[in-house]
């Protein structure tokens, strides 16, 4: 094995749901002053999947352009991280594997640890590529964030999937080996198997996230990581975009660094542009932040990016990545902007109907209404089996 092999993210692409609910529309019905949404939590709208969309259709839509660009010959592993799975046994990635016609000689597995799962997938992928640099791993992180109607969490919903091709000599980001880790047994956010919406202790979840930021940085430093001043931007898990600012301030304050508002904005502003209109995408959120940074910066070549991944429960990780020369040629900026702008705005009534919808549980043959204009759809259910098709 060549110890000089650099490994990282070779390509990155995201997809989201068909519909979008503006926070102005939500505010008109909740009576909440819009400043709380726009400024207080930093959200302007949220993606709402159509009745015939789910994590599989979004994941396949995110991964399809990657497979189209690079082919699938070197992909021997598909890792799909999600905390909104569709089955207790079968990995959702197998449906994606099928929709994308990936080769049979592939291992496919699902990972879960709340919003941290995508980072576990990325780290495991780096290890697989280290063992055999001729192989690539398709890492997918995708979720539909749902809280109870009329609850405080409702304004922090959203949906998206990110697909990343991980391999040797990456075209986008080289991931640095040191990682800072933190695990603590907390009940800040969870979803028992019998519930379709998440339970959350809002303020406790923010405190647990901040505690985890301190923990990962301490461990990162002890693992021989770089100094804070070497990083030019930071991608945080963004359950709502204001959380990135809270976490960043906390990181600097607790490590004795000064940080004025302009510096903070410079390090974060470009990472929040997509999240503030897509909403929380749980496992995908930090990688949507990375897409946002790449798509909204003029040139990041050779710059060091910090990644702060947090998953309630909780597990967190800090690591760094360096943007490689030539990355600009591989960006998907136009496609990403089109994916955000093509969403159809819906009113509050339609949103509530979609939210209250659940799939039939009787094992019968049920077709779903055709709503999505995306490349893949959930056509229905038959004999307790999901039926997917290419649109
Ligand atoms: N104009 C401007 N700002 C306003 C305002 C107005 N008119 N009205 C209120 N605000 C501000 C408040 O001052 C507050 O700001 P600070 O946080 O800076 O103090 C902010 O808006 C939010 O107000 P509240 O704290 O009163 O809001 P809330 O009680 O309704 O709950 C929430 C907010 C806790 C984020 C809630 O939406 C929630 O529970 N969301 C889900 C949980 C979550 O996202 N947790 C994050 C950490 S856990 C995690 O990261 C994993 C994950 O993905 C879930």
């Amino acid at each position: 094995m060549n110890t000089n092999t650099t490994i990282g993210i070779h390509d990155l692409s995201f997809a989201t749901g068909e519909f979008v609910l503006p926070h102005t529309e939500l505010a008109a019905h909740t009576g909440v002053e819009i400043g709380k949404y726009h400024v207080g939590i930093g959200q302007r709208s949220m993606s709402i999947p159509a009745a015939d969309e789910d994590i599989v259709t979004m994941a396949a839509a995110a991964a399809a352009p990657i497979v189209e660009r690079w082919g699938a010959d070197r992909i021997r592993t598909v890792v799909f991280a999600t905390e909104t799975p569709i089955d207790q046994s079968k990995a959702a990635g197998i449906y994606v594997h099928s929709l994308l016609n990936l080769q049979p000689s592939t291992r496919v597995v699902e990972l879960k640890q709340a919003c941290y799962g995508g980072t576990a997938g990325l780290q495991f992928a780096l290890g697989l590529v280290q063992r055999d640099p001729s192989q690539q791993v398709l890492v997918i992180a995708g979720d539909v964030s749902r809280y109870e109607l009329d609850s405080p969490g409702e304004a922090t919903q959203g949906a998206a999937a990110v697909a990343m091709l991980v391999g040797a000599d990456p075209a986008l980001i080289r991931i640095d080996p040191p990682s800072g880790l933190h695990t603590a047994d907390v009940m800040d956010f969870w979803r028992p198997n019998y519930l379709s919406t998440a339970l959350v202790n809002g303020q406790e979840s923010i405190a647990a996230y901040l505690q985890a930021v301190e923990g990962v940085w301490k461990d990162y430093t002890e693992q021989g990581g770089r100094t804070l001043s070497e990083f030019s931007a930071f991608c945080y898990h963004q359950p709502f975009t204001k959380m990135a600012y809270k976490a960043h301030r906390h990181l600097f304050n607790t490590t004795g660094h000064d940080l004025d508002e302009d510096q903070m904005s410079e390090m974060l502003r470009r990472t929040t542009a997509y999240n503030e209109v897509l909403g929380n995408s749980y496992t995908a959120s930090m990688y949507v932040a990375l897409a946002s940074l790449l798509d909204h910066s003029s040139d990041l070549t050779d710059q060091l990016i910090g990644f702060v991944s947090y998953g309630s429960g909780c597990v967190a990780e800090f690591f760094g990545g360096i943007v490689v020369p030539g990355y600009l040629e591989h960006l998907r900026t136009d496609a990403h902007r089109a994916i955000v702008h093509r969403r159809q705005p819906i009113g509050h009534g339609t949103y509530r109907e979609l939210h209250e919808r659940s799939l039939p549980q009787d094992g019968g043959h049920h077709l779903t209404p055709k709503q999505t204009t995306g490349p893949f759809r959930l056509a229905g259910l038959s004999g307790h089996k999901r039926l997917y098709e290419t649109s």
Side-chain angles (χ1 to χ4, degrees):
M1 186 174 53
N2 178 0
T3 49
N4 293 325
T5 304
T6 62
I7 306 175
I9 303 171
H10 196 53
D11 197 358
L12 183 151
S13 155
F14 74 78
T16 187
E18 178 71 18
F19 299 126
V20 57
L21 180 74
H23 277 76
T24 45
E25 181 71 15
L26 185 65
H29 288 80
T30 56
V32 165
E33 149 66 27
I34 192 63
K36 175 171 174 180
Y37 295 154
H38 285 177
V39 181
I41 61 170
Q43 290 302 131
R44 304 198 80 82
S45 63
M46 53 199 188
S47 284
I48 307 291
D52 52 349
E53 291 178 326
D54 64 8
I55 55 161
V56 168
T57 62
M58 288 193 302
I66 292 181
V67 174
E68 198 177 308
R69 183 185 277 177
W70 304 101
D73 294 355
R74 294 172 61 191
I75 299 175
R76 285 180 58 81
T77 305
V78 176
V79 177
F80 191 158
T82 185
E83 57 179 302
T84 47
I86 54 162
D87 196 283
Q88 298 284 22
S89 181
K90 178 166 174 159
I94 297 178
Y95 296 107
V96 178
H97 176 277
S98 167
L99 287 168
L100 300 181
N101 294 313
L102 301 185
Q103 55 183 353
S105 48
T106 308
R107 64 169 77 81
V108 182
V109 71
E110 191 163 304
L111 282 183
K112 180 182 68 185
Q113 189 353 79
C115 308
Y116 168 75
T119 297
L122 173 62
Q123 293 292 344
F124 297 167
L126 297 172
L128 285 169
V129 176
Q130 181 72 36
R131 196 174 69 167
D132 178 359
S134 71
Q135 298 186 18
Q136 294 176 324
V137 180
L138 181 62
V139 177
I140 302 173
D143 276 299
V144 177
S145 161
R146 290 174 86 241
Y147 295 92
E148 221 179 303
L149 291 169
D150 305 317
S151 70
E154 186 180 19
T156 62
Q157 299 176 114
V162 167
M164 293 178 278
L165 190 61
V166 176
D169 299 322
L172 296 181
I173 313 273
R174 199 173 79 224
I175 303 293
D176 256 5
S179 262
L181 302 171
H182 174 87
T183 286
D185 185 1
V186 288
M187 292 303 281
D188 59 329
F189 166 105
W190 70 108
R191 184 169 65 84
N193 285 346
Y194 49 83
L195 292 184
S196 64
T197 50
L199 299 172
V200 62
N201 291 323
Q203 297 310 325
E204 192 177 330
S205 71
I206 294 171
Y209 185 138
L210 297 180
Q211 193 65 45
V213 169
E214 256 179 88
V216 290
W217 181 257
K218 181 171 178 292
D219 188 49
Y220 179 72
T221 305
E222 287 166 6
Q223 298 297 317
R226 298 171 188 256
T227 59
L228 260 190
S229 58
E230 290 179 71
F231 292 89
S232 57
F234 290 78
C235 294
Y236 285 86
H237 166 55
Q238 292 175 20
F240 51 96
T241 64
K242 203 62 181 292
M243 188 68 225
Y245 286 82
K246 284 180 189 289
H248 198 57
R249 195 176 292 113
H250 191 76
L251 175 62
F252 273 64
N253 288 347
T254 54
T255 51
H257 292 80
D258 290 332
L259 182 71
D260 65 34
E261 290 302 311
D262 288 346
Q263 288 169 311
M264 179 141 85
S265 171
E266 181 52 27
M267 287 172 175
L268 298 185
R269 138 185 87 74
R270 287 161 290 148
T271 71
T272 59
Y274 290 147
N275 287 278
E276 73 178 19
V277 292
L278 298 182
N280 193 359
S281 54
Y282 292 160
T283 51
S285 149
M286 189 181 78
Y287 300 97
V288 171
L290 171 59
S292 181
L293 174 67
L294 294 173
D295 289 351
H296 294 90
S297 306
S298 51
D299 190 355
L300 294 166
T301 304
D302 292 329
Q303 292 192 26
L304 178 64
I305 314 297
F307 294 90
V308 186
S309 180
Y310 176 76
S312 291
C314 69
V315 177
E317 180 160 350
F318 183 97
F319 60 97
I322 295 171
V323 182
V324 303
Y327 84 99
L328 283 165
E329 289 160 37
H330 302 284
L331 295 186
R332 300 180 176 279
T333 310
D334 291 345
H336 287 158
R337 290 194 175 145
I339 282 160
V340 170
H341 293 302
R342 67 182 278 281
R343 294 172 302 164
Q344 304 176 46
I346 51 173
H348 194 255
T350 307
Y351 151 68
R352 279 183 91 99
E353 272 170 36
L354 283 163
H355 194 286
E356 281 168 346
R357 232 186 111 79
S358 60
L359 291 174
Q361 298 184 7
D362 61 10
H365 184 76
H366 302 276
L367 295 180
T368 36
K370 184 151 178 34
Q371 295 181 342
T372 183
T373 55
F376 304 99
R377 65 182 295 268
L378 171 64
L381 270 179
S382 192
H384 296 293
K385 296 172 192 153
R386 290 190 184 224
L387 309 171
Y388 290 102
E389 64 183 23
T390 303
S391 301

